[in-house]
Amino acid sequence: MVRFQSSGEIVFTNSNDRAGVAGSPAHKYVGGAPIPGALAGALIGRIGNGQPFGIGDQTTIRMPGSGTLYLGVNDANVGDHSGQVQVLISR
């Protein structure tokens, strides 16, 4: 089990289009995102080369494996974003 304390937001290309760690409040989805069925901009993780999994605003998650944990946001093109997300991870 791993604990997360996450906050912050990202801004998509349109400055009025924002997402917190739980994802887009407009319930926007992006087909080319790592997890197409999860909200755009939501905090996601991946262990090593494994499948991505949703984290969002959850505080405790059972990790699907062991290895290096990578964090990111659920979107097809993260290069056009601004903002930041802070994540504190503990066991």
Side-chain angles (χ1 to χ4, degrees):
M1 298 297 284
V2 174
R3 294 183 181 168
F4 293 88
Q5 291 177 332
S6 308
S7 63
E9 72 176 7
I10 61 162
V11 180
F12 298 100
T13 52
N14 174 349
S15 63
N16 293 323
D17 194 4
R18 300 167 180 264
V21 295
S24 170
H27 301 289
K28 176 179 165 183
Y29 296 90
V30 178
I35 308 175
L39 291 174
L43 179 63
I44 61 173
R46 179 171 54 90
I47 303 289
N49 291 324
Q51 293 297 311
F53 55 92
I55 298 172
D57 59 358
Q58 297 180 78
T59 57
T60 304
I61 299 175
R62 181 177 303 282
M63 291 291 103
S66 61
T68 302
L69 172 62
Y70 296 96
L71 300 176
V73 295
N74 193 46
D75 195 20
N77 182 15
V78 296
D80 62 355
H81 297 75
S82 62
Q84 63 183 0
V85 173
Q86 301 83 33
V87 182
L88 177 63
I89 302 170
S90 60
R91 291 173 153 220

